[in-house]
Amino acid sequence: MLKNILKNSILTALIRGASFGVRIFALLIAARYSEPAYFATIALFFTVAEIGRLLADFGIDTYTMREYASHRNKAVLRQTIGAAMSAKLMLGLLVAVASTAVMLHLRPGELSSTLPFALMVMSPLLMNLPINFFIAKMRGRHIAPFVAMAGLLSLGVFYGLFTFASNPALAFFSIPAAEALVGLFLIAKVPVMRASLACLNFPGMLKLLKMTLPIAAATILGITYGRMDVFFLEKFRSAEELGLYAFAVRLVEPFQFIAGALAVNAYGHIATSLKTSVAAASAVNARYRKVMALYAGLALLTVLVLANVLLVYTFKQYAAAQAMLNLTGCILIFKCGNLISTAAIQAHGKYKFITSVAVWNFTFLSVAMLLLVPRFGAYGALFSILAMESLNFLIQNILLRKLQKSNNKDD
């Protein structure tokens, strides 16, 4: 079982790397060849694009993954996929326009620089639709080599355009272009999706959005409170400090990305196991938690080495971010725990609880940052996040214990 968990999680990480991973490494490339003040603008636009993407997705990816894992009826799947495509198309266009307006408000007069990031709102919506289908059906191995190669090629093109061609705008355009091509290619490989593409289900769209509303609320709140630090620092501190902080946070995100891939895999596996029995799902959950704990320890050790050994040689202009990076590594431990707990809770269909927790986290972090960031800057933001993530960890694990006790009584 442990071997299968690791294998499936690695496959999921490779597949997800075609989107999120490429973006993170593209940011690190940009940081390597940019000063903190310029990197602050790039990180700010990326933040707007990330929030916009999840707003446009509206919880559809999470909900449809559970549907893919639960249903075998092609007619039902076709209706679900058609509704998902319709919703993503409509919301993607609206949110991309709104995101452009927000970026222009933050950095007036930089329309050409904002357009690639506006497209980054839409391209993952297209790509994740077939990817989630393959992951939910435990067929990730069928697409992993192609997706990994596409991601590496995309990253290579970005590197060449950013460094040798000195054309950052065109470099960032290459990311959504590659994502869209990957999405269209994979959709063509799935007959039920290919058929759905020809007959969009707009009537079913509203029903789907009603079902995904609790997931959307939790996810959007989650990414908003996860990125509000950038907006607080943008408002109250200098561009250079924002750049240093964004670098420290982004350098750790590849490790969080891998943890997220493990959690996505756990979500699909637990949801599938629940069809067999509650006991089977609990056993799967326990195994994934052990793997996540092991991974979190290794990730923290790697981050500490990066911060205290390699930082000064690789990113000299960001040496002042060393202490920030150490603290971000500690926060990573709690984030890993929260990712796997959220996956287990959502697999049980407790979406409203996750929404409630997200509301609490958003409120707590807003107040904490409003009090601490103006006075302590980046460290105020980091300590606020550390407090929020640790409380989140306690709350989610209390619910999981209650679910286990309740399920044991039912059995």
Side-chain angles (χ1 to χ4, degrees), residues 12 23 25 27 45 51 81 95 119 126 153 176 180 207 212 251 263 270 290 313 317 326 334 346 348 360 393 399-400:
T12 304
R23 294 173 183 225
F25 284 108
L27 268 180
F45 287 173
I51 295 174
I81 294 168
V95 176
L119 291 176
L126 176 65
L153 180 61
K207 182 179 178 181
T212 62
L251 189 60
I270 295 169
K290 289 177 182 178
Y313 299 106
Q317 67 271 43
N326 283 321
F334 289 100
Q346 287 183 330
H348 282 82
W360 155 252
F393 183 80
L399 175 70
L400 280 175

Side-chain angles (χ1 to χ4, degrees), residues 6-288:
L6 291 173
K7 179 182 177 181
N8 289 332
S9 299
I10 291 171
L11 284 173
T12 304
L14 288 173
I15 295 167
R16 293 289 185 185
S19 178
F20 184 76
V22 168
R23 294 173 183 225
I24 294 302
F25 284 108
L27 268 180
L28 294 180
I29 291 170
R32 177 69 177 82
Y33 296 97
S34 306
E35 292 301 316
Y38 175 71
F39 182 68
T41 297
I42 296 175
L44 190 64
F45 287 173
F46 253 93
T47 298
V48 175
E50 286 173 332
I51 295 174
R53 176 183 66 82
L54 289 176
L55 180 61
D57 175 70
F58 210 75
I60 294 168
D61 282 344
T62 301
Y63 180 81
T64 52
M65 268 197 72
R66 195 166 187 264
E67 292 297 295
Y68 298 154
S70 302
H71 295 292
R72 297 290 185 271
N73 187 296
K74 289 186 178 180
V76 174
L77 285 176
R78 191 179 296 112
Q79 290 178 353
T80 301
I81 294 168
M85 288 180 174
S86 303
K88 287 192 173 197
L89 176 63
M90 298 293 292
L91 291 175
L93 289 170
L94 290 173
V95 176
V97 172
S99 298
T100 303
V102 170
M103 287 184 278
L104 287 174
H105 173 74
L106 295 170
R107 293 290 188 273
E110 296 191 21
L111 179 61
S112 61
S113 299
T114 64
L115 291 179
F117 299 95
L119 291 176
M120 287 183 201
V121 171
M122 300 181 64
S123 55
L125 303 180
L126 176 65
M127 187 175 69
N128 286 341
L129 198 64
I131 280 178
N132 287 337
F133 182 88
F134 281 97
I135 292 175
K137 296 295 187 182
M138 298 296 177
R139 291 159 53 189
R141 66 186 183 279
H142 296 154
I143 63 170
F146 165 74
V147 173
M149 288 300 298
L152 289 173
L153 180 61
S154 171
L155 202 56
V157 171
F158 175 88
Y159 180 81
L161 291 172
F162 194 92
T163 57
F164 298 114
S166 299
N167 194 331
L170 188 59
F172 284 114
F173 263 118
S174 69
I175 295 177
E179 291 173 347
L181 290 173
V182 168
L184 290 172
F185 178 84
L186 292 179
I187 287 174
K189 291 293 182 180
V190 182
V192 68
M193 286 196 167
R194 194 167 60 243
S196 300
L197 189 62
C199 50
L200 298 177
N201 183 12
F202 286 101
M205 178 180 69
L206 295 178
K207 182 179 178 181
L208 175 65
L209 294 180
K210 183 178 179 181
M211 296 297 296
T212 62
L213 180 58
I215 309 172
T219 305
I220 294 165
L221 282 171
I223 190 63
T224 302
Y225 71 65
R227 294 292 182 230
M228 70 168 62
D229 47 2
V230 172
F231 295 110
F232 273 96
L233 288 167
E234 162 72 12
K235 181 174 179 58
F236 293 111
R237 310 296 287 196
S238 67
E240 183 176 0
E241 184 174 0
L242 171 58
L244 291 170
Y245 174 87
F247 167 78
V249 172
R250 296 295 183 172
L251 189 60
V252 174
E253 281 195 345
F255 302 97
Q256 186 178 332
F257 156 70
I258 296 173
L262 177 60
V264 168
N265 197 58
Y267 170 70
H269 199 171
I270 295 169
T272 303
S273 299
L274 278 170
K275 293 187 297 181
T276 303
S277 69
V278 173
S282 297
V284 171
N285 180 32
R287 293 188 183 96
Y288 273 101

